[in-house]
Structures are given as structure tokens and as C-alpha cells.
């Protein structure tokens, strides 16, 4: 264990998960009534599709595998991705703490129809329809693909880049086709990911350029 911690001491940042989960479950219990309904007209034109439960659930593996990969291969990219993910997740929790929000358009799902509706029904039972803005599923998917797309090690694997993009888009679409989120939840997440990209990666690139410049000067 001592050798592991000496080599992989950067694991400490993952302890944020305890903070996030505690805060998230607190909000899940607290926000049950009197919340703002997130809805735009476009939501009414998007049909429910239970098959999107597959990419929706793959989100967990997608983010975890990416974090794990960078954890073992590049400490710098690992920290960048974690900070990117955790900053947006914290902002989302702050928004939900002071702006109680949720949806009200989940359909009645027959769990006996097929395996996928059974999975959706289980999702609906375990996950409330509150604390949806901005969507963490959408935000984290964007962050994860950005990290994969930027990685020098992974750029040479075109199939991986395409697969990551397709999965990220599928996860984002799943949030609205499963009626878990309003379109506005995803739009808010995309805007947040765009803004924080320049904060996280722009800052690190500026520091790298500054160090290179100082090194060159001697």
C-alpha cells in the first residue's frame, strides 16, 4: 500500500466523490416538492425511446474508464480531466442547492414490455426527477470526450476518437429520449463545459508556455 501511494499519490483527488455523493443525495432527499419545472417546447417533440437506456448506463463506465486510463498513463491529463469534471459537478450542485429544479414529463413505462423498459422503470424508481439542471450526464460526457480527443497518446487511434464521440453524443441524446432531462438541461451543460474548457485547459497551457519560455531563457 505504501509503494502504491508513493507511485499513485494523485489518487487523493478522487476523494471528491465522497463530497459529491453526500451533497447529491442530500439534495435528492430535500428537493421533493416546490421546484421549478425545466421545460421547453422542443421537449414535447422528442419521443420516448427505451433503447437509449443502453448509452445512458454506459456513461458510468465511459467516465470511469477514461479517468482510470489517465490515472495510470498521464498524471497531468488525469488532473486536468478530474478538475474539469469536478468543477462543473460542484457548480451543478450549487445551482441545484439554490435553484430547486426538476422535470414533469416522465412517461408511464410498462416494465413488462421488454428488458429495456424494465431497466428504465428501475432507473425511474432509483433516480428522482429533480436536480436536473445542468445535466451531469451531458456535462461529464463532453468533458470525457474532450480529454480523449486532446490526448496525444490517443489521437493516433482514430477508431477510439470516433467511438468516443459517438458514445458521448448518444449519452447526451439519451438524457432527453429517456425523458430524464429537458433540452435546456443539456444546453446549460454544454455552455458550462465550453466556458470551463478555457479555464481548465487554457490555464494549464499558459503555465506550460510560461515554463517553456523561462527554460529557454535559461
Amino acid at each position: 500500500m505504501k509503494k502504491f501511494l508513493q507511485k499513485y499519490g494523485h489518487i487523493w483527488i478522487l476523494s471528491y466523490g465522497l463530497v459529491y455523493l453526500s451533497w447529491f443525495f442530500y439534495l435528492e432527499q430535500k428537493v421533493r416538492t416546490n421546484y421549478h419545472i425545466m421545460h421547453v417546447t422542443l421537449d414535447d417533440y422528442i419521443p420516448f425511446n427505451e433503447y437509449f437506456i443502453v448509452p445512458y448506463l454506459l456513461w458510468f463506465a465511459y467516465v470511469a474508464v477514461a479517468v482510470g486510463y489517465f490515472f495510470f498513463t498521464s498524471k497531468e491529463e488525469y488532473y486536468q480531466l478530474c478538475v474539469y469534471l469536478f468543477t462543473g459537478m460542484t457548480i451543478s450542485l450549487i445551482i441545484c442547492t439554490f435553484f430547486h429544479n426538476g422535470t414533469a414529463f416522465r412517461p408511464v413505462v410498462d416494465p413488462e414490455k421488454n428488458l429495456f423498459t424494465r431497466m428504465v422503470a428501475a432507473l425511474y424508481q432509483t433516480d428522482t426527477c429533480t436536480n436536473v439542471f445542468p445535466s451531469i450526464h451531458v456535462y461529464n460526457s463532453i468533458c470525457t470526450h474532450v480529454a480523449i480527443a486532446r490526448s496525444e497518446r490517443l489521437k493516433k487511434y482514430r477508431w477510439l476518437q470516433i467511438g468516443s464521440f459517438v458514445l458521448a453524443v448518444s449519452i447526451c441524446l439519451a438524457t432527453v429520449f429517456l425523458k430524464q432531462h429537458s433540452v435546456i438541461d443539456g444546453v446549460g451543460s454544454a455552455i458550462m463545459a465550453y466556458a470551463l474548457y478555457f479555464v481548465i485547459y487554457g490555464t494549464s497551457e499558459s503555465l506550460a508556455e510560461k515554463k517553456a519560455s523561462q527554460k529557454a531563457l535559461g
Side-chain angles (χ1 to χ4, degrees):
M1 178 61 74
K2 184 177 180 180
K3 290 183 178 179
F4 178 87
L5 292 176
Q6 288 178 338
K7 186 176 182 179
Y8 299 111
H10 48 290
I11 196 173
W12 71 269
I13 199 171
L14 296 183
S15 61
Y16 169 81
L18 298 176
V19 176
Y20 176 81
L21 290 174
S22 298
W23 194 346
F24 176 77
F25 286 122
Y26 166 75
L27 290 174
E28 287 286 278
Q29 293 298 317
K30 180 180 180 180
V31 184
R32 296 285 181 139
T33 58
N34 299 320
Y35 52 82
H36 179 79
I37 302 298
M38 306 303 295
H39 177 267
V40 292
T41 303
L42 182 57
D43 294 324
D44 301 327
Y45 291 93
I46 299 175
F48 170 79
N49 188 312
E50 69 267 24
Y51 298 109
F52 273 96
I53 189 65
V54 176
Y56 189 86
L57 294 180
L58 282 176
W59 170 81
F60 294 96
Y62 181 50
V63 177
V65 169
V67 171
Y69 171 78
F70 291 118
F71 175 82
F72 289 108
T73 61
S74 172
K75 187 184 295 187
E76 180 182 359
E77 290 175 303
Y78 162 77
Y79 272 127
Q80 287 175 331
L81 175 56
C82 286
V83 173
Y84 197 14
L85 291 170
F86 301 163
T87 301
M89 291 163 69
T90 301
I91 291 173
S92 177
L93 289 174
I94 292 172
I95 291 173
C96 291
T97 298
F98 295 101
F99 172 57
H100 295 173
N101 59 81
T103 60
F105 45 62
R106 281 180 173 180
V108 175
V109 177
D110 179 9
E112 301 303 319
K113 179 182 176 183
N114 56 48
L115 172 63
F116 304 100
T117 55
R118 192 173 303 123
M119 294 166 70
V120 173
L123 173 66
Y124 284 0
Q125 285 186 333
T126 57
D127 188 17
T128 70
C129 60
T130 58
N131 307 309
V132 297
F133 178 85
S135 167
I136 291 300
H137 257 67
V138 171
Y139 177 77
N140 282 3
S141 297
I142 295 173
C143 293
T144 301
H145 178 66
V146 165
I148 292 172
R150 284 178 52 90
S151 173
E152 291 298 328
R153 288 171 178 258
L154 300 179
K155 281 182 179 179
K156 58 184 177 180
Y157 300 110
R158 183 167 176 76
W159 62 268
L160 179 62
Q161 297 290 332
I162 294 174
S164 173
F165 177 77
V166 170
L167 180 55
V169 171
S170 297
I171 293 170
C172 294
L173 291 175
T175 64
V176 291
F177 278 98
L178 291 178
K179 299 300 179 179
Q180 280 287 91
H181 288 275
S182 165
V183 169
I184 195 66
D185 301 333
V187 171
S189 296
I191 293 173
M192 182 166 69
Y194 179 80
L196 289 178
Y197 173 85
F198 294 100
V199 175
I200 305 302
Y201 290 100
T203 300
S204 61
E205 288 174 356
S206 296
L207 289 173
E209 290 175 359
K210 184 177 181 180
K211 288 181 179 179
S213 178
Q214 291 176 340
K215 187 176 181 180
L217 293 173

